[in-house]
Amino acid sequence: MKIGRILILSSVLTPLFISCEDVLETKTVNEWDENKVWNLSDLAQGVLMQAYSAIPNTPNCFDINFLDVATDNAVTNSYASNIYKAAIGGITGADNPIGNWDVCYKQMQNIHEFMEKGLRDDLSYDRVNPETDAAIKKRLEGEALFLRAWWGFALLQRYGGRTDDGEALGYPITTRFITIEEGKHPENFKRNTYQECVRQIMEDCDQAMKKLPDTYTGDNAIVGIENTGRATSLAAAVLKSRVALYSASPAFQSSKIVTLNHGADYSIADQEAYQKQWEYAALISNAVLLLDGFGSYTPLTASNLADAPTTTPADFVFRNYYNTNGMETNHFPPFYRGAAHTVPSQNLVDAFPAIDGYPIGVSKQYDPDFPYANRDKRLDLNVYYQGRQFGDNSTSIDVVAGGKDSKEFHHQASRTGYYLAKFMSKKKDMLTPTQMLSAIHYNPLLRKSEVFLNFAEASNEAWGPKVKGPDCQYSAYDVLKMIRHLSGGLPENDAYLEEMSASKELFRKLVQNERRLELAFENQRYFDMRRWLLPLDESVKGVIVTRDANGTLSYATETVEERKFNDVRFYYLPLPHAELLKNPNLKNNIGWDNN
């Protein structure tokens, strides 16, 4: 039988250190006889590589925007984009810009076909040395298991949710290749429970950890540096930490454990069961923190993300890499020849504390006449604001009416008065047509820093702010003190941190804000707000900067975009309408049956 396959031939010969744009770009080949595909190791491995190449190469993968534009962190200037429609509440089962059902199941099929046909005894990846061949197969099996966990969580993150009758459901689990004949009977499939999906993903992570190396170094064919960018045991461990955190979150508990009241209001129906979920999540993250070679907390820097070194930053355990100027073309201010698609909000800017650690509304070191002075240094990592020098250029941002970065100067200028700094190159005149520079960028898909944040959140819910759980080297308080000091430049003697440590409830708010700051524009805020049932209807604001005759600046806020997520259904995404039509056994998430 002839099959038309898209195979990534070069990726099996070239390190995944290079980006999807550079190496994992799909290469169309002629039609191959199926027997030939599964008898040539390069072609067989190419099937598995598709599950890598489908992972978004850049973080602005939502109609060339960041998912933060559908949260209070940012807005998009791309009114015609589908993500704008999502941001203002236009998601439906038939039109879901955030949906990934088809992509995920397509990659599951690739993974399962590879696991069933690409690891056979009679298919050799090293014809000379049987031991090397066995070792490569072991690694490839580990990669397949990791990728199944990755795409399983991608489904769970999007479609996991509560149903109208109070169940917490995930996605239909598949652990083998689904034949054409089986696919003709979708009624044989149903959504597994949320916890069943969690257990499957975690089991895949556990098995992957046993088969994968900790890192890729040297010139060994099995674990050499040429394989950099592939899955590692540490990547599987970090993914497991993320999955455990989601599994404990209130939005994903059944009605027997968490009661949804109205809007963002919920109550705990079974405190013991709820508590055990958080204890388990905390211990999972603690086990990752204790792994040999995991290391200590490393603050994120601008040069980790753009104008980056060729060696992967230590904080990134699974990442994509690209050497282009696409990020800058899409998000630089128009004056610097960019399109300014994603722009940060005043809401996000206000979330960064003053340098004494206190929120700007109560800090004695915050001056509203100089709102960007004496602030948490992570503000500069994320945001370009009025008067800030733009990268290595000699000019500064000017959003005053008529200024070069204002809406009066260019129709595509920022709607909020701010521009995105995170992930942006600082190179001078980068997009000048006569030179058009590029820059090395990383897209961190899994970071060690996230594990620290996962642990702090779960540990606080399990034992409170300052209690160290069993065999834990940190308390939640210890972790946040470290992050705020090392990343934000806040004082070690953090008085506000002490105040917020008075209760689990106060500390929870601080943890949620620290995640917001640390993971901004890494496409996590959207899901963090929903798993915690945080209010989704806060208006997104921007800044109006005016200059008087003496040159004195004044700052006022304005509403830029209303968010009308005022129904419980907006905490969950709808299942694809086409799948519901095909399969009457699929239960939709709460509130979506008639929407």
Side-chain angles (χ1 to χ4, degrees):
M1 180 181 72
K2 295 284 186 180
I3 55 174
R5 287 198 177 277
I6 305 296
L7 296 176
I8 304 94
L9 300 181
S10 60
S11 65
V12 301
L13 303 174
T14 312
L16 295 182
F17 174 81
I18 308 300
S19 72
C20 293
E21 291 178 8
D22 297 338
V23 167
L24 289 183
E25 181 183 359
T26 56
K27 312 295 183 184
T28 305
V29 297
N30 296 326
E31 288 190 341
W32 293 86
D33 182 89
E34 186 170 12
N35 291 329
K36 181 170 285 189
V37 170
W38 297 113
N39 283 285
L40 294 174
S41 59
D42 282 355
L43 296 182
Q45 191 174 169
V47 176
L48 181 63
M49 292 301 102
Q50 292 183 72
Y52 277 113
S53 67
I55 297 172
N57 196 45
T58 63
N60 61 331
C61 54
F62 296 87
D63 279 359
I64 57 175
N65 281 275
F66 296 79
L67 187 53
D68 292 58
V69 304
T71 76
D72 51 0
N73 273 1
V75 296
T76 177
N77 281 336
S78 312
Y79 292 106
S81 66
N82 285 326
I83 195 63
Y84 173 71
K85 184 162 45 181
I88 59 173
I91 292 175
T92 69
D95 186 7
N96 181 1
I98 303 171
N100 63 358
W101 186 280
D102 290 343
V103 171
C104 291
Y105 277 111
K106 179 180 179 181
Q107 300 317 314
M108 290 284 196
Q109 285 286 80
N110 285 330
I111 292 163
H112 291 145
E113 190 171 22
F114 175 80
M115 292 177 77
E116 292 172 15
K117 298 179 180 179
L119 299 173
R120 303 188 324 272
D121 291 340
D122 61 341
L123 177 62
S124 178
Y125 292 87
D126 189 314
R127 295 184 176 88
V128 176
N129 190 325
E131 291 183 359
T132 300
D133 177 63
I136 291 174
K137 285 178 178 174
K138 177 182 177 182
R139 192 203 71 215
L140 288 172
E141 184 180 6
E143 291 181 63
L145 289 163
F146 169 82
L147 288 166
R148 186 166 70 181
W150 176 271
W151 289 108
F153 179 70
L155 278 167
L156 189 64
Q157 189 181 44
R158 297 298 206 280
Y159 298 104
R162 287 274 289 266
T163 63
D164 286 325
D165 57 6
E167 289 184 280
L169 299 182
Y171 58 91
I173 294 174
T174 62
T175 56
R176 59 181 177 80
F177 185 81
I178 305 301
T179 66
I180 293 175
E181 188 60 34
E182 288 174 312
K184 292 178 181 178
H185 299 281
E187 69 279 1
N188 292 333
F189 299 88
K190 66 177 183 177
R191 294 175 73 184
N192 289 81
T193 69
Y194 195 95
Q195 291 301 324
E196 285 172 344
C197 294
V198 167
R199 286 193 289 273
Q200 177 62 54
I201 296 168
M202 287 192 169
E203 174 63 21
D204 283 343
C205 288
D206 286 338
Q207 293 303 313
M209 289 170 66
K210 296 176 182 178
K211 298 176 183 295
L212 292 171
D214 295 336
T215 188
Y216 295 101
T217 57
D219 57 4
N220 182 281
I222 306 163
V223 295
I225 197 169
E226 69 172 14
N227 297 302
T228 299
R230 294 175 183 258
T232 63
S233 62
L234 185 54
V238 174
L239 178 58
K240 186 177 177 182
S241 168
R242 181 184 291 181
V243 175
L245 190 77
Y246 273 64
S247 73
S249 300
F252 303 128
Q253 309 304 315
S254 73
S255 58
K256 295 179 180 179
I257 298 176
V258 171
T259 302
L260 300 181
N261 299 324
H262 56 83
D265 185 36
Y266 67 93
S267 55
I268 309 304
D270 186 336
Q271 185 62 48
E272 182 180 1
Y274 185 67
Q275 184 87 1
K276 285 182 178 178
Q277 293 268 37
W278 284 113
E279 291 175 2
Y280 178 69
L283 292 173
I284 290 289
S285 289
N286 182 65
V288 180
L289 294 174
L290 292 173
L291 288 174
D292 289 341
F294 186 85
S296 57
Y297 176 77
T298 304
L300 185 69
T301 66
S303 61
N304 292 152
L305 300 170
D307 307 317
T310 54
T311 302
T312 303
D315 188 39
F316 302 167
V317 297
F318 190 54
R319 87 293 181 273
N320 274 333
Y321 162 99
Y322 50 104
N323 189 359
T324 69
N325 58 23
M327 185 66 69
E328 292 73 26
T329 299
N330 288 317
H331 304 293
F332 266 14
F335 182 83
Y336 301 94
R337 300 178 177 84
H341 286 297
T342 292
V343 292
S345 67
Q346 183 69 50
N347 312 54
L348 175 61
V349 170
D350 288 347
F352 291 93
I355 197 63
D356 60 1
Y358 280 87
I360 59 173
V362 297
S363 170
K364 295 179 180 179
Q365 295 195 30
Y366 174 74
D367 185 346
D369 292 329
F370 301 93
Y372 312 118
N374 299 319
R375 298 290 292 274
D376 184 310
K377 66 182 184 181
R378 289 171 291 185
L379 175 61
D380 280 5
L381 175 66
N382 285 275
V383 180
Y384 279 115
Y385 46 77
Q386 172 66 31
R388 184 182 172 194
Q389 181 178 332
F390 188 75
D392 293 334
N393 295 273
S394 59
T395 49
S396 299
I397 295 294
D398 184 6
V399 296
V400 177
K404 66 179 182 58
D405 302 302
S406 67
K407 289 179 284 187
E408 292 79 7
F409 183 86
H410 196 286
H411 72 278
Q412 191 66 21
S414 173
R415 298 166 60 197
T416 63
Y418 298 104
Y419 289 95
L420 185 62
K422 194 170 183 179
F423 293 101
M424 300 298 121
S425 171
K426 288 184 167 60
K427 290 182 179 179
K428 181 180 179 181
D429 300 325
M430 184 173 190
L431 301 181
T432 300
T434 55
Q435 57 181 15
M436 290 294 286
L437 303 175
S438 61
I440 295 174
H441 299 74
Y442 287 105
N443 176 15
L445 299 165
L446 293 169
R447 293 170 52 195
K448 292 180 181 179
S449 296
E450 184 185 338
V451 183
F452 285 95
L453 289 164
N454 295 348
F455 173 79
E457 179 180 326
S459 180
N460 177 60
E461 298 300 325
W463 305 298
K466 290 192 171 182
V467 176
K468 290 184 180 180
D471 300 319
C472 294
Q473 60 178 322
Y474 302 110
S475 66
Y477 170 91
D478 294 333
V479 170
L480 253 60
K481 182 175 183 177
M482 178 169 51
I483 291 174
R484 283 163 62 86
H485 176 62
L486 295 178
S487 281
L490 307 182
E492 283 194 273
N493 184 17
D494 193 335
Y496 183 69
L497 179 64
E498 290 291 339
E499 291 179 17
M500 297 299 282
S501 300
S503 71
K504 180 185 296 186
E505 291 71 25
L506 286 173
F507 203 78
R508 179 186 304 141
K509 293 179 180 180
L510 187 59
V511 171
Q512 290 168 349
N513 196 64
E514 287 298 313
R515 284 186 69 89
R516 181 181 191 177
L517 305 186
E518 283 289 316
L519 302 175
F521 303 104
E522 295 180 35
N523 300 323
Q524 297 216 43
R525 173 73 173 166
Y526 182 91
F527 300 108
D528 280 350
M529 293 183 76
R530 282 157 176 77
R531 66 185 178 83
W532 266 112
L533 300 166
L534 298 178
L536 303 178
D537 56 357
E538 181 180 350
S539 298
V540 183
K541 299 185 182 301
V543 66
I544 301 173
V545 186
T546 56
R547 183 182 288 115
D548 67 17
N550 297 322
T552 302
L553 298 177
S554 58
Y555 303 82
T557 61
E558 66 172 344
T559 296
V560 173
E561 194 166 282
E562 297 286 355
R563 292 289 159 78
K564 300 178 181 179
F565 300 123
N566 54 0
D567 189 275
V568 67
R569 74 178 186 273
F570 291 116
Y571 288 100
Y572 310 101
L573 290 176
L575 268 63
H577 183 64
E579 298 299 323
L580 294 169
L581 290 177
K582 289 187 293 185
N583 186 354
N585 290 330
L586 290 180
K587 288 185 179 180
N588 210 344
N589 283 328
I590 187 170
W592 285 107
D593 279 342
N594 298 313
N595 290 276

